[in-house]
Amino acid sequence: PNDVFILDSVNFGGMNGRFDPSQDHWYLDKIKEIFWDQLVPKQEFLEKLDAVLPKKYAVIHVRDWEYNDSLDSIIKINDFDRTKFLTSPKISLQSLTEKIDEVDDTFEVFVVSYKNETVELVKGCSDRVKSFPILDDRSFAQDFLEFLFLSKADIIIGSRYSTFSHTAAILSRSCKEYSLFD
């Protein structure tokens, strides 16, 4: 029961930002142990991922709110259209470009997002940015592969309100740097 509680609590919006994934903490260590040693992702996913894993890489995850139907769980605001605009990746390009420029040239840089348009938008920030390949035609499987790809990255650059990137950073045993863009 305690393990289930720990894993469930990682996925709360309120968990985002509660722990710095780059710091040692018993809670984070327990979560990593459960995910990698006790639950263990299926071999088919690990093999697909191993086939494309670069040696050193950074991943940008863009939480594209324009794709989703509601922000009510994280932001209390009456004007939904205004909120979608304020959290749109289109107004984050300056911040993203600065984050990409901070990544050492020896790292490959990838972007993942719900929408292909957003991926293309971020790729336009720098000629260094590549998109993560489609490895599975099942959307749930592709999403999980992207999550594993994030969790194995050396550097994770996430959207401020993204539990997807934050959880990947928490579960990571290889992430040395985790940062957010606005």
Side-chain angles (χ1 to χ4, degrees), residues 56-57 103-108 128:
K56 291 179 7 178
Y57 68 101
V103 176
D104 187 279
D105 290 341
T106 60
F107 286 78
E108 292 188 57
R128 294 180 62 190

Side-chain angles (χ1 to χ4, degrees), residues 149-162:
F149 188 66
L150 263 170
S151 70
K152 289 177 169 278
D154 300 283
I155 299 169
I156 297 173
I157 302 168
S159 304
R160 180 149 318 268
Y161 296 107
S162 170

